[in-house]
Amino acid sequence: MTIRTAKNSAKGRGLGDLNALGFAKLPSETRVVVAMSGGVDSSVTAALLHEQGFDVIGITLQLYDHGVAVQTKGACCAGADVHDARRVAARIGIPHYVLDYEKRFKERVIDDFADSYARGETPIPCIKCNQNIKFNDLLDMARDLDAGALVTGHYVQRINGRSGPELHRGYDNLKDQSYFLFATTKKQLDFLHFPLGGMAKDETRAHAKRLGVPIARKPESQDICFVPSGSYSNLINQLRPEAKKPGNIVDVLGNTLGTHQGIIGFTVGQRRGLGISTGEPQYVLKIRLDSNEVVIGPKSALLKNSFMVDEINWLGEGDKPANGMNVEVKIRSASEPVDAKIVELDTGGIEVSPKDPISSVAPGQACVFYQGRRVLGGGWISRG
């Protein structure tokens, strides 16, 4: 199995002949639990570890029934993924279990998503799922099974540093998923491993083909798993009908320019669907929950010289960042980190001051701190 790390060459030397996950024992003596979502990445992870001789157990979480989630008739959209995970496990010859986590997923992820949108925020449920389900409950399950590690197919790297394991960006910048894992705690990182972090996606698919993984050509999903249609507002209308309350669309001076049918249809930075004509493009600048107003203005008004981040998870040295620390930050998964300074506040939150103003800073989104390729942690953008 080829695993590329920050210390390996670009050609991808492995971590060692004894145990690719770094344990001081034979792979056959190392039990690992692989979180199998039914996708190519987690399937290849399980197949590669099994090929090398690890004692692999695959676990798939049954997280939601889409028909129940949106209160409409229909089969469970997650069923096909569960079936695919079963097929892969059978093909490579490993034990496989499906755990029913629907109730806790609805409470901790779907309900949180709906409540956040109803507050005029722009949530990221994938981070909440990793934080509250996969790297919490599933990690406990792996320990109960006497496993030495919980392994996932994320494109991030776990690298041993001076003070213990560190979280780093994936080798493939286009597939790097470190933004979505900023809430991983130091204690969780001790138990987690990410074998695909040193690979590019085409390498993963090549392994899938070589190993005969039956879903080698399965396309990647681009939508939130419980919103396969991509229509967030339709879901919120079903789950929180009281949030669909008409209000005004105003400019920065408070002048009424039009009306809306509910703040759940808007997010900071949005341009399309405003229904307002002022002679120049208008963007959503702010959502005022107290007055139920959507504030719009020119693109230049989206730029922020500073913003606040709460619920900080710190993965850098020590227990918290040094005041005035220079870092790089990302406020969207697809963007590249930009230079910024962070200052801890008396409230426990952090003020982020980018070197150059950042556009479309949306409450509810994550702000992740980096130092080079290392993930230092992050938090949630607040209204400030």
Side-chain angles (χ1 to χ4, degrees), residues 176-333:
D176 170 48
Q177 294 174 298
S178 60
Y179 179 84
F180 297 101
L181 299 184
F182 85 86
T184 306
T185 66
K186 291 181 178 180
K187 183 177 179 180
Q188 290 169 342
L189 195 56
D190 279 337
F191 199 71
L192 288 163
H193 286 267
F194 313 100
L196 301 190
M199 294 185 190
K201 183 68 178 192
D202 58 351
E203 292 179 83
T204 302
R205 289 200 180 275
H207 278 302
K209 183 178 180 181
R210 176 182 66 81
L211 294 166
V213 173
I215 57 168
R217 296 184 180 181
K218 185 175 182 178
E220 296 183 62
S221 173
Q222 301 300 317
D223 297 317
I224 294 174
C225 66
F226 57 89
V227 195
S229 67
S231 178
Y232 306 157
S233 59
N234 287 345
L235 175 66
I236 308 305
N237 285 336
Q238 293 285 346
L239 296 177
R240 300 292 184 271
E242 68 279 6
K244 191 175 182 181
K245 184 171 67 172
N248 291 327
I249 298 176
V250 303
D251 62 18
V252 292
L253 299 176
N255 299 310
T256 299
L257 304 177
T259 60
H260 64 79
Q261 297 304 306
I263 60 174
I264 59 174
F266 300 90
T267 186
V268 171
Q270 178 180 331
R271 176 184 174 185
R272 298 182 182 277
L274 303 183
I276 302 293
S277 178
T278 64
E280 66 174 314
Q282 297 291 300
Y283 297 79
V284 175
L285 306 180
K286 183 181 293 186
I287 296 172
R288 293 175 176 158
L289 185 62
D290 54 349
S291 61
N292 199 39
E293 292 176 326
V294 176
V295 183
I296 66 173
K299 188 174 184 179
S300 59
L302 283 170
L303 295 173
K304 291 280 189 181
N305 291 307
S306 66
F307 54 92
M308 306 300 173
V309 179
D310 293 324
E311 300 179 55
I312 306 300
N313 180 60
W314 183 246
L315 292 173
E317 302 300 324
D319 296 328
K320 60 182 180 179
N323 269 341
M325 185 176 184
N326 292 316
V327 299
E328 298 94 49
V329 301
K330 288 176 67 170
I331 63 166
R332 282 176 288 275
S333 62

Side-chain angles (χ1 to χ4, degrees), residues 76-148:
C76 172
C77 293
D81 292 328
V82 173
H83 174 68
D84 286 342
R86 280 199 187 102
R87 282 203 300 148
V88 170
R91 170 65 180 79
I92 63 180
I94 64 170
H96 177 253
Y97 303 95
V98 178
L99 305 181
D100 184 357
Y101 275 27
E102 284 190 25
K103 183 175 184 293
R104 65 189 77 184
F105 184 74
K106 182 181 185 303
E107 293 173 348
R108 301 181 194 174
V109 180
I110 298 179
D111 286 346
D112 178 82
F113 175 85
D115 290 339
S116 184
Y117 251 106
R119 292 193 299 266
E121 299 172 348
T122 308
I124 312 177
C126 295
I127 295 178
K128 295 289 188 178
C129 182
N130 289 328
Q131 181 181 18
N132 297 322
I133 304 293
K134 293 179 182 176
F135 292 171
N136 189 348
D137 297 348
L138 184 53
L139 191 145
D140 289 340
M141 176 61 68
R143 286 198 174 101
D144 289 343
L145 290 172
D146 199 27

